[in-house]
Amino acid sequence: MLKEISHKTAAIFAAVAVLTVAFAATVRAADDATGNPLQAQIDHGKSTYAEKCSHCHGPNLMNSGTITPDLRAIPDDKTRFVTTVKNGKNNKMPPWGDILNDDQIGDLWAFISSRRKP
Protein backbone atom coordinates (compact mmCIF):
# COMPACT_ATOMS: atom_id res chain seq x y z
CA MET A 1 0.00 0.00 0.00
CA LEU A 2 2.83 2.42 0.81
CA LYS A 3 4.41 1.76 -2.59
CA GLU A 4 1.07 2.50 -4.28
CA ILE A 5 0.82 5.84 -2.45
CA SER A 6 4.41 6.72 -3.51
CA HIS A 7 3.60 6.11 -7.17
CA LYS A 8 0.44 8.21 -6.92
CA THR A 9 2.34 11.00 -5.16
CA ALA A 10 5.06 10.95 -7.81
CA ALA A 11 2.44 11.09 -10.57
CA ILE A 12 0.74 14.05 -8.89
CA PHE A 13 4.06 15.90 -8.54
CA ALA A 14 4.88 15.24 -12.21
CA ALA A 15 1.48 16.55 -13.30
CA VAL A 16 1.88 19.66 -11.16
CA ALA A 17 5.32 20.29 -12.65
CA VAL A 18 3.99 20.04 -16.20
CA LEU A 19 1.08 22.35 -15.42
CA THR A 20 3.40 24.85 -13.73
CA VAL A 21 5.62 25.08 -16.81
CA ALA A 22 2.61 25.44 -19.11
CA PHE A 23 1.09 28.12 -16.90
CA ALA A 24 4.36 30.08 -16.75
CA ALA A 25 4.55 30.09 -20.56
CA THR A 26 1.03 31.43 -20.94
CA VAL A 27 1.52 34.08 -18.25
CA ARG A 28 4.66 35.29 -20.06
CA ALA A 29 2.67 35.70 -23.30
CA ALA A 30 -0.11 37.81 -21.82
CA ASP A 31 0.63 39.12 -18.37
CA ASP A 32 -0.50 42.70 -18.63
CA ALA A 33 -4.00 43.92 -17.88
CA THR A 34 -4.97 44.13 -21.55
CA GLY A 35 -3.65 40.71 -22.53
CA ASN A 36 -1.44 42.41 -25.15
CA PRO A 37 1.81 40.40 -25.37
CA LEU A 38 3.74 43.29 -26.99
CA GLN A 39 2.72 45.65 -24.20
CA ALA A 40 3.77 43.02 -21.68
CA GLN A 41 7.19 42.84 -23.36
CA ILE A 42 7.48 46.63 -23.31
CA ASP A 43 6.58 46.70 -19.61
CA HIS A 44 9.13 44.01 -18.78
CA GLY A 45 11.74 45.82 -20.88
CA LYS A 46 11.04 49.09 -19.10
CA SER A 47 11.63 47.41 -15.76
CA THR A 48 14.85 45.73 -16.94
CA TYR A 49 16.04 49.02 -18.46
CA ALA A 50 15.43 50.89 -15.20
CA GLU A 51 17.31 48.26 -13.22
CA LYS A 52 20.21 47.45 -15.56
CA CYS A 53 20.65 50.21 -18.16
CA SER A 54 19.46 53.58 -16.92
CA HIS A 55 22.49 54.24 -14.74
CA CYS A 56 24.60 54.66 -17.92
CA HIS A 57 22.02 55.42 -20.61
CA GLY A 58 19.84 57.72 -18.51
CA PRO A 59 16.28 57.34 -17.29
CA ASN A 60 14.81 58.65 -20.55
CA LEU A 61 17.07 56.65 -22.94
CA MET A 62 19.59 59.49 -23.11
CA ASN A 63 22.27 60.75 -20.78
CA SER A 64 23.61 64.13 -21.85
CA GLY A 65 27.29 64.74 -21.38
CA THR A 66 28.34 61.10 -21.54
CA ILE A 67 29.62 58.83 -24.27
CA THR A 68 26.43 56.77 -24.29
CA PRO A 69 24.27 57.18 -27.37
CA ASP A 70 20.73 58.54 -27.37
CA LEU A 71 18.85 55.23 -27.49
CA ARG A 72 15.79 56.98 -28.91
CA ALA A 73 17.79 57.38 -32.13
CA ILE A 74 19.32 53.92 -32.50
CA PRO A 75 18.80 52.15 -35.84
CA ASP A 76 15.82 49.85 -36.28
CA ASP A 77 18.10 46.80 -36.29
CA LYS A 78 17.22 44.20 -33.68
CA THR A 79 20.09 41.89 -34.63
CA ARG A 80 22.64 44.65 -34.12
CA PHE A 81 21.00 45.64 -30.83
CA VAL A 82 21.02 42.08 -29.48
CA THR A 83 24.65 41.58 -30.51
CA THR A 84 25.69 44.84 -28.85
CA VAL A 85 23.86 44.06 -25.61
CA LYS A 86 25.22 40.50 -25.46
CA ASN A 87 28.81 41.27 -26.46
CA GLY A 88 29.30 44.90 -25.43
CA LYS A 89 30.74 47.54 -27.71
CA ASN A 90 34.12 49.22 -28.24
CA ASN A 91 35.32 48.33 -24.75
CA LYS A 92 32.98 51.06 -23.48
CA MET A 93 29.74 49.14 -23.06
CA PRO A 94 30.22 45.95 -21.08
CA PRO A 95 28.76 42.65 -22.32
CA TRP A 96 25.45 41.65 -20.75
CA GLY A 97 25.08 38.21 -22.35
CA ASP A 98 25.92 36.42 -19.10
CA ILE A 99 23.59 38.65 -17.07
CA LEU A 100 20.50 39.08 -19.25
CA ASN A 101 18.73 36.16 -20.90
CA ASP A 102 17.30 36.26 -24.44
CA ASP A 103 13.79 37.12 -23.20
CA GLN A 104 15.09 40.07 -21.19
CA ILE A 105 17.07 41.36 -24.16
CA GLY A 106 14.02 40.96 -26.40
CA ASP A 107 11.95 42.86 -23.86
CA LEU A 108 14.56 45.63 -23.79
CA TRP A 109 14.35 45.84 -27.57
CA ALA A 110 10.55 46.10 -27.40
CA PHE A 111 10.78 48.89 -24.82
CA ILE A 112 13.49 50.89 -26.59
CA SER A 113 11.82 50.42 -29.99
CA SER A 114 8.57 51.73 -28.56
CA ARG A 115 10.34 54.96 -27.56
CA ARG A 116 12.28 55.50 -30.79
CA LYS A 117 12.06 58.96 -32.34
CA PRO A 118 10.32 58.97 -35.73
Side-chain angles (χ1 to χ4, degrees), residues 10-25:
I12 290 170
F13 280 124
V16 168
V18 168
L19 290 172
T20 301
V21 170
F23 178 72

mmCIF file of all heavy atoms in Angstrom, residues 10-25:
data_model
loop_
_atom_site.group_PDB
_atom_site.id
_atom_site.type_symbol
_atom_site.label_atom_id
_atom_site.label_comp_id
_atom_site.label_asym_id
_atom_site.label_seq_id
_atom_site.Cartn_x
_atom_site.Cartn_y
_atom_site.Cartn_z
ATOM 1 N N ALA A 10 4.115 10.582 -6.753
ATOM 2 C CA ALA A 10 5.058 10.950 -7.814
ATOM 3 C C ALA A 10 4.312 11.400 -9.060
ATOM 4 O O ALA A 10 4.693 12.379 -9.711
ATOM 5 C CB ALA A 10 5.974 9.779 -8.136
ATOM 6 N N ALA A 11 3.229 10.714 -9.396
ATOM 7 C CA ALA A 11 2.439 11.092 -10.566
ATOM 8 C C ALA A 11 1.806 12.466 -10.373
ATOM 9 O O ALA A 11 1.759 13.282 -11.303
ATOM 10 C CB ALA A 11 1.362 10.038 -10.842
ATOM 11 N N ILE A 12 1.345 12.740 -9.174
ATOM 12 C CA ILE A 12 0.744 14.054 -8.888
ATOM 13 C C ILE A 12 1.815 15.144 -9.010
ATOM 14 O O ILE A 12 1.577 16.185 -9.630
ATOM 15 C CB ILE A 12 0.080 14.060 -7.497
ATOM 16 C CG1 ILE A 12 -1.175 13.191 -7.515
ATOM 17 C CG2 ILE A 12 -0.256 15.484 -7.058
ATOM 18 C CD1 ILE A 12 -1.775 12.925 -6.149
ATOM 19 N N PHE A 13 2.985 14.911 -8.439
ATOM 20 C CA PHE A 13 4.063 15.902 -8.540
ATOM 21 C C PHE A 13 4.458 16.139 -9.997
ATOM 22 O O PHE A 13 4.693 17.276 -10.404
ATOM 23 C CB PHE A 13 5.286 15.465 -7.733
ATOM 24 C CG PHE A 13 5.163 15.749 -6.266
ATOM 25 C CD1 PHE A 13 5.310 14.734 -5.341
ATOM 26 C CD2 PHE A 13 4.894 17.026 -5.796
ATOM 27 C CE1 PHE A 13 5.196 14.976 -3.981
ATOM 28 C CE2 PHE A 13 4.778 17.288 -4.440
ATOM 29 C CZ PHE A 13 4.919 16.266 -3.533
ATOM 30 N N ALA A 14 4.530 15.090 -10.789
ATOM 31 C CA ALA A 14 4.877 15.242 -12.206
ATOM 32 C C ALA A 14 3.818 16.067 -12.936
ATOM 33 O O ALA A 14 4.138 16.947 -13.736
ATOM 34 C CB ALA A 14 5.039 13.868 -12.859
ATOM 35 N N ALA A 15 2.557 15.794 -12.661
ATOM 36 C CA ALA A 15 1.476 16.546 -13.301
ATOM 37 C C ALA A 15 1.524 18.007 -12.893
ATOM 38 O O ALA A 15 1.348 18.914 -13.721
ATOM 39 C CB ALA A 15 0.123 15.935 -12.950
ATOM 40 N N VAL A 16 1.777 18.279 -11.631
ATOM 41 C CA VAL A 16 1.877 19.660 -11.155
ATOM 42 C C VAL A 16 3.045 20.371 -11.831
ATOM 43 O O VAL A 16 2.927 21.525 -12.242
ATOM 44 C CB VAL A 16 2.002 19.703 -9.608
ATOM 45 C CG1 VAL A 16 2.400 21.090 -9.119
ATOM 46 C CG2 VAL A 16 0.704 19.260 -8.959
ATOM 47 N N ALA A 17 4.162 19.692 -11.990
ATOM 48 C CA ALA A 17 5.323 20.294 -12.648
ATOM 49 C C ALA A 17 5.008 20.670 -14.092
ATOM 50 O O ALA A 17 5.337 21.765 -14.552
ATOM 51 C CB ALA A 17 6.518 19.342 -12.591
ATOM 52 N N VAL A 18 4.360 19.776 -14.810
ATOM 53 C CA VAL A 18 3.991 20.042 -16.202
ATOM 54 C C VAL A 18 3.037 21.225 -16.280
ATOM 55 O O VAL A 18 3.203 22.129 -17.100
ATOM 56 C CB VAL A 18 3.386 18.790 -16.869
ATOM 57 C CG1 VAL A 18 2.738 19.124 -18.200
ATOM 58 C CG2 VAL A 18 4.453 17.724 -17.043
ATOM 59 N N LEU A 19 2.050 21.250 -15.423
ATOM 60 C CA LEU A 19 1.082 22.350 -15.424
ATOM 61 C C LEU A 19 1.740 23.670 -15.043
ATOM 62 O O LEU A 19 1.397 24.720 -15.595
ATOM 63 C CB LEU A 19 -0.083 22.040 -14.482
ATOM 64 C CG LEU A 19 -1.012 20.927 -14.942
ATOM 65 C CD1 LEU A 19 -2.013 20.576 -13.846
ATOM 66 C CD2 LEU A 19 -1.731 21.315 -16.219
ATOM 67 N N THR A 20 2.688 23.636 -14.132
ATOM 68 C CA THR A 20 3.399 24.853 -13.729
ATOM 69 C C THR A 20 4.167 25.435 -14.898
ATOM 70 O O THR A 20 4.131 26.644 -15.140
ATOM 71 C CB THR A 20 4.338 24.553 -12.545
ATOM 72 O OG1 THR A 20 3.561 24.064 -11.462
ATOM 73 C CG2 THR A 20 5.102 25.790 -12.120
ATOM 74 N N VAL A 21 4.868 24.609 -15.641
ATOM 75 C CA VAL A 21 5.623 25.075 -16.808
ATOM 76 C C VAL A 21 4.674 25.644 -17.861
ATOM 77 O O VAL A 21 4.913 26.713 -18.419
ATOM 78 C CB VAL A 21 6.488 23.937 -17.401
ATOM 79 C CG1 VAL A 21 7.077 24.324 -18.738
ATOM 80 C CG2 VAL A 21 7.583 23.555 -16.417
ATOM 81 N N ALA A 22 3.582 24.962 -18.125
ATOM 82 C CA ALA A 22 2.609 25.444 -19.112
ATOM 83 C C ALA A 22 2.001 26.769 -18.680
ATOM 84 O O ALA A 22 1.841 27.690 -19.481
ATOM 85 C CB ALA A 22 1.514 24.401 -19.333
ATOM 86 N N PHE A 23 1.679 26.883 -17.412
ATOM 87 C CA PHE A 23 1.094 28.116 -16.897
ATOM 88 C C PHE A 23 2.088 29.272 -17.008
ATOM 89 O O PHE A 23 1.731 30.370 -17.419
ATOM 90 C CB PHE A 23 0.657 27.934 -15.437
ATOM 91 C CG PHE A 23 0.099 29.178 -14.827
ATOM 92 C CD1 PHE A 23 -1.146 29.654 -15.208
ATOM 93 C CD2 PHE A 23 0.821 29.889 -13.877
ATOM 94 C CE1 PHE A 23 -1.668 30.808 -14.653
ATOM 95 C CE2 PHE A 23 0.306 31.041 -13.316
ATOM 96 C CZ PHE A 23 -0.937 31.510 -13.705
ATOM 97 N N ALA A 24 3.346 29.026 -16.665
ATOM 98 C CA ALA A 24 4.363 30.075 -16.749
ATOM 99 C C ALA A 24 4.504 30.578 -18.180
ATOM 100 O O ALA A 24 4.660 31.772 -18.418
ATOM 101 C CB ALA A 24 5.704 29.559 -16.231
ATOM 102 N N ALA A 25 4.440 29.679 -19.153
ATOM 103 C CA ALA A 25 4.553 30.087 -20.557
ATOM 104 C C ALA A 25 3.372 30.957 -20.977
ATOM 105 O O ALA A 25 3.544 31.937 -21.701
ATOM 106 C CB ALA A 25 4.654 28.855 -21.455
#
